[in-house]
């Protein structure tokens, strides 16, 4: 078998997915026979002859490894409901409802809701409680995607910048090149999505209506498919979410997630919010 570089392998892999997308995708193993991999119809002299490539039906897992394998930040990797309960009563004031709903999410007792939206001022422990949920689900073998909303938007903007100025990214490894659809699909299909800091990014980011619509695409897909999602936001309440992101996004969040307001003394500064 002729030796080929890692970059060439990834290039051929992307070609496979493009061809399969043109065929309408792999539905119930229609293109791979349920094997999860395919080979290309190539001449025996071709460097990729005889090699197996990941079928598009398995692309989600590959994309999560390439872009979406965002680990829980180190600050939150030791969070647990027991840690929360060990804090003083004064610190826990304003956060009790959030803690109760986090426990329900951990135990899969959300009723008609599939997720949780923790809103309120910074330092109220929203990300910490989200980490409690994520860590508990990960221990049960659930695929968890943790991403900061700003990081997702940055990744999308980077794709647009790469399209406009490819010469600036000519040395970027193939494994770090993503399309907008790959980024969005990773967030849409994760078994559990933890979307941190869905705040008013307009204050610091050049967010276009198109980019904002991509956030909606994620929320809408997960809402339609009843997939569990945990969101944190510095919005004061549901109305704040609506003002920041518009009625379409806020409505989908409230229909699929229990919106819980958190406040009280900041875990970060010790000041009441």
């Amino acid at each position: 078998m002729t030796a080929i570089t890692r970059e060439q392998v990834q290039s051929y892999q992307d070609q496979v997915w493009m061809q399969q997308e043109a065929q309408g995708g792999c539905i119930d193993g229609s293109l791979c026979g349920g094997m999860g991999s395919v080979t290309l119809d190539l001449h025996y002299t071709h460097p990729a002859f005889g090699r197996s490539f990941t079928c598009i039906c398995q692309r989600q897992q590959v994309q999560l490894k390439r872009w979406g394998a965002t680990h829980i930040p180190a600050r939150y990797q030791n969070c647990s409901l027991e840690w929360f309960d060990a804090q003083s009563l004064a610190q826990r004031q304003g956060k009790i409802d959030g803690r109760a709903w986090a426990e329900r999410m951990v135990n899969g007792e959300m009723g008609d809701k599939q997720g949780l939206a923790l809103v309120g001022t910074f330092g109220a422990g929203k990300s910490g409680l989200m980490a409690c949920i994520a860590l508990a689900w990960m221990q049960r073998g659930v695929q968890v995607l943790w991403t900061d909303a700003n990081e997702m938007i940055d990744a999308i903007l980077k794709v647009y910048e790469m399209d406009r100025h490819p010469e600036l990214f000519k040395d970027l490894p193939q494994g770090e090149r993503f399309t907008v659809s790959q980024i969005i699909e990773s967030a849409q299909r994760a078994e559990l999505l933890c979307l941190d800091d869905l705040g008013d990014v307009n204050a610091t980011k050049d967010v276009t209506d198109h980019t904002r619509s991509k956030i909606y695409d994620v929320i809408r897909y997960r809402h339609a498919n009843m997939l569990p999602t945990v969101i944190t936001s510095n919005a004061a309440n549901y109305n704040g979410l609506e003002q920041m992101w518009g009625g379409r996004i806020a409505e989908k969040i409230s229909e699929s997630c229990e919106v819980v307001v958190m406040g009280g003394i900041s875990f970060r500064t010790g000041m009441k919010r």
Side-chain angles (χ1 to χ4, degrees):
M1 186 179 293
T2 305
I4 58 177
T5 66
R6 181 180 301 177
E7 289 74 17
Q8 287 175 315
V9 171
Q10 186 58 58
S11 177
Y12 293 137
Q13 178 68 79
D14 290 341
Q15 289 177 37
V16 168
W17 285 338
M18 288 178 63
Q19 292 173 9
Q20 291 184 318
E21 283 180 343
Q23 294 175 275
C26 180
I27 301 174
D28 296 329
S30 59
L31 298 180
C32 68
M35 299 298 292
S37 63
V38 297
T39 56
L40 296 175
D41 185 13
L42 302 168
H43 192 270
Y44 74 92
T45 59
H46 192 283
F49 175 77
R51 290 181 178 272
S52 295
F53 293 92
T54 303
C55 181
I56 195 170
C57 65
Q58 300 295 310
R59 182 170 67 175
Q60 171 66 15
Q61 295 296 328
V62 174
Q63 289 172 357
L64 282 172
K65 292 177 182 178
R66 292 171 62 190
W67 174 77
T70 306
H71 299 293
I72 297 174
R75 178 183 297 275
Y76 305 119
Q77 287 183 3
N78 294 317
C79 286
S80 66
L81 294 178
E82 291 74 20
W83 172 87
F84 183 91
D85 293 340
Q87 306 307 303
S88 69
L89 179 61
Q91 287 179 307
R92 287 185 283 121
Q93 288 298 323
K95 308 171 180 65
I96 302 301
D97 284 349
R99 189 259 185 243
W101 279 102
E103 183 172 20
R104 292 186 187 183
M105 187 79 185
V106 166
N107 296 329
E109 300 171 349
M110 293 300 293
D112 294 334
K113 304 285 186 176
Q114 292 80 53
L116 186 61
L118 301 172
V119 301
T121 54
F122 71 91
K126 302 182 297 294
S127 297
L129 284 178
M130 182 164 73
C132 293
I133 298 167
L135 290 166
W137 282 48
M138 288 171 65
Q139 289 176 356
R140 296 200 293 265
V142 174
Q143 171 213 80
V144 176
L145 171 57
W146 176 299
T147 184
D148 184 281
N150 290 334
E151 292 177 357
M152 181 182 293
I153 291 173
D154 278 341
I156 293 172
L157 294 178
K158 183 178 180 179
V159 173
Y160 296 150
E161 186 68 13
M162 289 172 61
D163 290 342
R164 288 192 296 267
H165 304 288
E167 71 280 0
L168 299 179
F169 299 89
K170 58 184 178 61
D171 295 327
L172 187 68
Q174 187 67 33
E176 297 179 19
R177 296 175 182 269
F178 315 106
T179 65
V180 171
S181 63
Q182 287 173 336
I183 295 170
I184 297 303
E185 188 175 318
S186 293
Q188 286 177 327
R189 299 190 179 185
E191 291 184 60
L192 172 64
L193 174 65
C194 293
L195 187 58
D196 200 21
D197 200 18
L198 190 67
D200 189 1
V201 294
N202 268 334
T204 55
K205 303 289 182 184
D206 182 20
V207 180
T208 65
D209 288 341
H210 179 67
T211 305
R212 191 181 295 274
S213 75
K214 296 304 178 185
I215 296 292
Y216 174 72
D217 287 345
V218 172
I219 301 299
R220 176 190 55 77
Y221 182 94
R222 299 191 67 81
H223 169 273
N225 290 279
M226 303 179 70
L227 296 172
T229 305
V230 185
I231 296 170
T232 70
S233 174
N234 288 337
N237 47 37
Y238 172 82
N239 291 336
L241 278 176
E242 188 173 26
Q243 292 173 3
M244 290 179 181
W245 290 97
R248 292 196 311 168
I249 292 178
E251 181 179 31
K252 297 298 184 188
I253 291 175
S254 68
E255 288 178 357
S256 58
C257 299
E258 186 71 30
V259 180
V260 180
V261 178
M262 295 181 63
I265 294 175
S266 170
F267 279 146
R268 300 178 191 173
T269 66
M271 296 176 63
K272 188 173 182 178
R273 294 289 176 181

